[in-house]
Structure formats: C-alpha cells, structure tokens
Amino acid sequence: KATQGSGDVKYHLGTEGTFTSATGRTIPVYLAANPSHLEAVDGVLEGIVRAKQDRRPAGTFSVLPIAIHGDAALSGQGIVVEILQMSQLRAYRTGGTVHININNQVGFTTPPADGHTSTYSTDVAKTIQAPIFHVNGDDPEAVVRIAELAFAYRQEFHRDVVVDLVCYRRRGHNEGDDPSMTQPLMYNLIEAKRSVRTLYTEALIGRGDITQEEYQASHRDFQDRLERAFGETHAAQTGSMPIPIQNGQPVTGLGLSGSIQDNAVGEPATTGVDEAVLRIVGDAHGNPPAGFTVHTKLQALLDKRVEMSRSGTIDWAMGELFALGSVLLEGTPVRMAGQDTRRGTFVQRHAVLHDRENGQKWLPLANLAENQAPFWIYDSLLSEYAAVGFEYGYSVERADALVLWEAQFGDFANGAQIVIDEFISSAEQKWGQRSSVVLLLPHGYEGQGPDHSSARIERYLQLCGENNMTVARPSTPASYFHLLRRQAYARPRRPLIVFTPKAMLRLRGATSEIADFTSGRFEPVIDDNRVADKAAAKRVLLTSGKIYYDIIAELDKREDSTTAVVRMEQFYPLPIPEMNATLAQYPNADIVWTQDEPENQGAWPFICLELVKHLTGRTIKVASRPASASPATGSSKRSAIEQVELIEKALSLP
C-alpha cells in the first residue's frame, strides 16, 4: 500500500507491506517516506520504530530499524551524530539500528578526499563504539554473511551496528549526469569492470553450483518479471488519474498504511472535564511515595497545586497538568520530550520530582489511577533536528497518543527547520502522512535579547495552507487546557504549533478559575467583556499573547472604556466567522493589530495578507516595533522603552 498524496516524486514515497521468504515465512515491512534532504528522515524513522515498540512489552525491541545511508551524507550531515548519540538514551533507544552505508566512493561529483577528513565515511559511528563491517560489494556472499552478522550483533547486544558496503556507482547521479566529466580515472576503471551479476554468475558456474542453462533460464524468468511489471506500471500511468480538488476537506483514499489510517472528521463539542478529574490531578501532587523527601523549595508548590484544584486561581503550569492528566485518565497515552522539559525551562512544570536524599524520581501524572494510560516525559539530548523528527515520527505511528515536543526557547526550534518544512507542514499534502505532533515554543518579548524572544511566528504562518496545521497562541491557562484536549481528539489529525508564554507563566492576572475547565471549549477569538457599550467603542485592539495584559493594565490606568481588546487565540486555520461576529459588535471602531514583534515579523504579515481580505469591509492598522533584521534588541532597557512606545502607538493611532 503506497503512502502518497497529491505531489512528490516516486522515490520519496513510503510504503508498507509483507515480505514472504522462499520458505514461506512472512514479516511486515515499513518503508518511511522521505524528502531529498539527506538523512532528514533518520529521526523520523527512529520515532516510528519506538512508537511501534511502545505497544509491546518494554525491552523486547521486536521492531528492527534499518537506516540506509550514502557515504557522502553519512560523513557530511550532522544529524547522523545526533541519531547515534540518541541510540542508547532512555527517551529514544530502539534496541539498535542496522546502518547500511552504500559507499559509492563519490558524493554526486565530490570525491572522498573532499568529503570527509576521517579515513572512512563510516568513522562517525566510532563515537559510540559501534562495530563497522567493511564489505566488498562485488561479493554477494560476503555481503550476506556480514548482514547476518550485523543482525546477530543487534539482536544480542541491542546496539547500533554499521555495514559499509564498498561499491561503486556505474551511472551518474541522475539521468543527465556524466560522471566521467569529474571523475575520469575512476570511471575509466568502472567502464572496464564487469557487473556484479556477471562476476557472481561466473563464480557459481565455475564452482559447479549451477549450469549455464540454469542461469539462462533464471535470467529469462527475471527479465519476464521486469517486463510484466513495466507493462503494468505503464498502463497505470497512461490511464485516467484523479485530479486533486482543493476543497479544504481532509485527504482521503490514499491507501494509507494501516497504522496511520484514520479518516474520521470532527472534534468534541466540549472539552471541559468534571471537577472530580481536576481534584484527582491535584491530589496526585500531594501524595508522594512513602519515605519520599520533597525538596524544601518545592513543597509549597505542591501544596499550592492541591489547593488550586479546589479553589481556582490556576496558573499556566497547572492548567497544562490538568490537560495532560485528564487525557491520561481518559485512556490517551501522553509522550512529552524536550530540553529541560521535566522541570521546565522556566522552573514551572515540575512534572518529575527528585527525592532530595536519594534522587528517586516521582511522577505525579503517572500515578493518577490504576487504569490510566501511560505517561512518558523525557529530558532530551541537546538536539532540535533529530529530536523533533523523532517526535514527529512517533506521532505518525501513534494516532492514539498525544505527543508533544517543547523547545527550550522557541527561538531554537529553527535548528529543526528541515523537519518543520519537509514533514510537519507538508507531509500530508505530499504523502498523505498524518501527524498530530504538538510543538510548544516559548515566545515573548521581555528584554532577553534576539535569541531568547521570538519563536518566529511569521515562519510557521508562511507555511500554512490547505488546513495543514493549527497555529495558536493561547492567553490563559484554561484556553491552553482546552486547546491541548481538543488536539488529543480532533480528527483528521493535524500538527499543532503553540506559542507558549514565559513571564506570563507567573503573571498574577493570567490565571483561570475552576469553572473555566469544567465546561466550554477552545475559543479561537476572545471578546473583551470590559466594554459595556460596544457600539460606542472607538477602537478595537486586536492582539494575542502577553501584550494583552500590558494593554489592559494601561487602559485601566487611563480609565479608558472606549477601547476594546480582542484576543486572537488561533492564527490558523483563520477563525473568520468568529472574528467577523466579534468585530461586527464594534461597528464604529477602528481596528489596530497590536504585537510585540517587529512589523516584518510576528503575525502581522499573515494578518495583513490573509485575514484582512476576509473581513466585511473593515481595514486594519498596525502597532508594532519597527521592521528589523534581528527579532529583538539586546538591551532590556531598550526593549522596555519600545514596549511603552508601541502600546502608546496602539492607543493613539489616528
């Protein structure tokens, strides 16, 4: 069954089927879809394998990952080192990967002397002391022997192993390439060299293993099979083909692999939970294992979490724990990974607590009920590229799980830009491959400089099209709670990009009450309940994120009741009906999009291009920082001045 959508070249497409051996034994085989970006699929493959293995008893490693490399990519692409370093980590181990290096001794036109400093292209595997078997590609029996040995090693030691298949590329890199132009001496030798089939046939006949007649009969049979396959393929290609219709509906009928087939459509009418569920999650934080010594600095936090589950004033971290805990109680597994994710970059989550005396770990969300779903949360290695690919792959395979990856700061997610571009945003369109992976990207302009302020909202919005993913920036713990719960159950599955807060994690006004969690659903647009006479409002500030609270504080100080502040909690898919319905209540008001980011960044480029054309005769002005090459200033004082200036601009634009 091919895994393909409306557009990609054939050699990128994945497939799934069953291999039947000469003895009749069968084994399922899964080929991961992959882009032209060399080695980018490595993390995705490992994530898919780990997800399959997590359905089985721990430590059995009964799914074998095989990664096929080229010599130039193996030595040249940095993600290879990341994958190797993942191989024995608890968050990522898959019981050993068999790496097969197709060593053609040339990378397109680059010779080995210009492709790697190491003696062999496979020397990168020495970083984890993996065995490396160099084998002559002209000797099929030696190749089979080494393959058997590599597999036996993996099965015995559950560690990575490398097969370096030393061979050559008889033709060019593609149909238009003549390698003799750049490697004349090498290709003089190759042109004079007999093929592997010829050499092996001569050896078999010379040893008396087969006769010339048996070879010729076998060769004719093989050629006949090729001709039949060619004829069937030609007939399929020249026949009528369906034309994709861009109607905004989920892609269906693509022959998706059984593990990811899911054409359901819809989402829960409400994502609220019973108050008893909140109490279960709260109580779990007040029930440490017997003899567990809680760190003195964390006991007050745990007590507060129990109290919040009763009396409200719920902060961001607790709202998140309510979301994760509630889906666990409903039978949905949760996997969460990232740098510092267990504690949280901003010391806010504490999903894993450590005994102050002996280091024992305690996971409150793993101890909610006897019949709850598994909860896995890991601190990742210091990687974005491979780590995001892994979580994406895991989510592809596990439609039943809520899978989240958190950036240490949202700025650092651009280290995984290839995965975001080639898989997260476009895999369904290209291959019909669905994922519901969640990226949590801390974002906020609080004077921390150009590398700790912006998760690059503009980049994700530029990738949006055909309802390919959801991009949101919730402003309250309850909004975040409902967003995560909707993501766990909404179909068809789509990736979710969430711009999460930093300073707002502890902002006194940015809390929610119990009732906000026990009813309702995620609202993509939140109106301003401060304005009594909406028709009299002179200005509507349309905004998202923490700046909402800064604006409200300024309006309260000015006692301004003619300016409304409307929050856009979801950027994409555009909440057009909700936005038009909200703005229609302010017929006499000017609309100003207000953002922390520079004018050429953040959501504004998307708002002015996409949202404006859907508004019923309304126009939007903008209040932001000036357009800038860098996301933010390096001076906290300058940042504070800019914030005051842009809020003043938002409130005074003519």
Side-chain angles (χ1 to χ4, degrees), residues 316 320 323-324 327 332-338 341 349 387-396 398 401-407 413 420 424 434-442 460 469-472 474 480-491 493-500:
W316 190 275
E320 179 185 76
L324 302 183
V327 299
T332 296
V334 173
R335 176 185 165 94
M336 189 175 192
T341 290
R349 181 172 292 117
V388 173
F390 190 100
E391 303 309 326
Y392 168 82
Y394 196 101
S395 176
V396 166
R398 291 296 297 266
L402 180 61
V403 182
L404 309 97
W405 177 81
E406 181 179 52
I420 295 164
I424 292 174
R434 295 197 181 114
S435 163
S436 53
V437 69
V438 180
L439 301 191
L440 303 178
L441 309 177
Y460 296 91
M469 56 186 179
T470 301
V471 181
Y480 180 44
F481 165 88
H482 289 292
L483 177 65
L484 291 181
R485 285 185 51 78
R486 184 184 74 173
Q487 180 69 6
Y489 301 117
R491 295 295 183 271
R493 298 195 298 142
R494 297 282 190 270
L496 169 63
I497 313 300
V498 187
F499 300 104
T500 55

Side-chain angles (χ1 to χ4, degrees), residues 337-603:
Q339 296 156 20
D340 307 319
T341 290
R342 289 178 156 196
R343 186 203 66 180
T345 299
F346 310 102
V347 200
Q348 85 281 7
R349 181 172 292 117
H350 295 289
V352 179
L353 295 107
H354 302 262
D355 189 296
R356 190 67 176 84
E357 301 297 328
N358 58 29
Q360 176 189 350
K361 297 178 181 65
W362 167 38
L363 286 73
L365 291 188
N367 296 277
L368 299 173
E370 289 289 337
N371 59 346
Q372 72 169 84
F375 174 57
W376 302 292
I377 184 166
Y378 302 104
D379 290 333
S380 76
L381 77 169
L382 200 62
S383 157
E384 286 82 33
Y385 190 179
V388 173
F390 190 100
E391 303 309 326
Y392 168 82
Y394 196 101
S395 176
V396 166
E397 175 62 28
R398 291 296 297 266
D400 61 323
L402 180 61
V403 182
L404 309 97
W405 177 81
E406 181 179 52
Q408 189 179 57
F409 284 80
D411 316 57
F412 304 154
N414 58 11
Q417 197 66 48
I418 291 174
V419 175
I420 295 164
D421 291 346
E422 297 299 320
F423 292 94
I424 292 174
S425 66
S426 61
E428 182 177 9
Q429 170 68 12
K430 294 187 294 188
W431 313 316
Q433 181 169 282
R434 295 197 181 114
S435 163
S436 53
V437 69
V438 180
L439 301 191
L440 303 178
L441 309 177
H443 175 97
Y445 278 64
E446 289 134 19
Q448 291 184 287
D451 290 333
H452 297 84
S453 297
S454 176
R456 297 287 190 174
I457 293 173
E458 65 280 359
R459 288 185 179 167
Y460 296 91
L461 293 177
Q462 186 185 45
L463 294 171
C464 289
E466 301 180 293
N467 292 332
N468 61 332
M469 56 186 179
T470 301
V471 181
R473 191 181 183 187
S475 62
T476 70
S479 182
Y480 180 44
F481 165 88
H482 289 292
L483 177 65
L484 291 181
R485 285 185 51 78
R486 184 184 74 173
Q487 180 69 6
Y489 301 117
R491 295 295 183 271
R493 298 195 298 142
R494 297 282 190 270
L496 169 63
I497 313 300
V498 187
F499 300 104
T500 55
K502 296 184 295 181
M504 202 172 80
L505 291 168
R506 295 177 175 83
L507 191 64
R508 188 177 298 276
T511 58
S512 301
E513 299 307 318
I514 293 289
D516 300 326
F517 296 87
T518 57
S519 62
R521 56 186 296 175
F522 176 74
E523 298 294 343
V525 178
I526 299 179
D527 196 7
D528 191 344
N529 57 14
R530 299 164 44 261
V531 179
D533 186 358
K534 298 182 186 296
K538 301 299 183 184
R539 185 183 303 266
V540 172
L541 300 187
L542 190 59
T543 192
S544 71
K546 178 182 174 293
I547 195 173
Y548 162 78
Y549 296 97
D550 298 336
I551 295 169
I552 292 296
E554 183 63 24
L555 291 175
D556 289 345
K557 186 168 67 175
R558 298 186 182 194
E559 298 182 350
D560 183 338
S561 60
T562 63
T563 300
V565 188
V566 174
R567 284 169 279 177
M568 192 172 183
E569 303 281 286
Q570 177 177 298
F571 296 125
Y572 190 84
L574 276 168
I576 296 166
E578 295 89 345
M579 184 62 71
N580 277 325
T582 300
L583 295 180
Q585 301 175 86
Y586 304 95
N588 302 310
D590 293 329
I591 305 171
V592 181
W593 174 260
T594 308
Q595 65 175 36
D596 298 288
E597 301 82 11
E599 188 172 348
N600 60 323
Q601 299 172 31

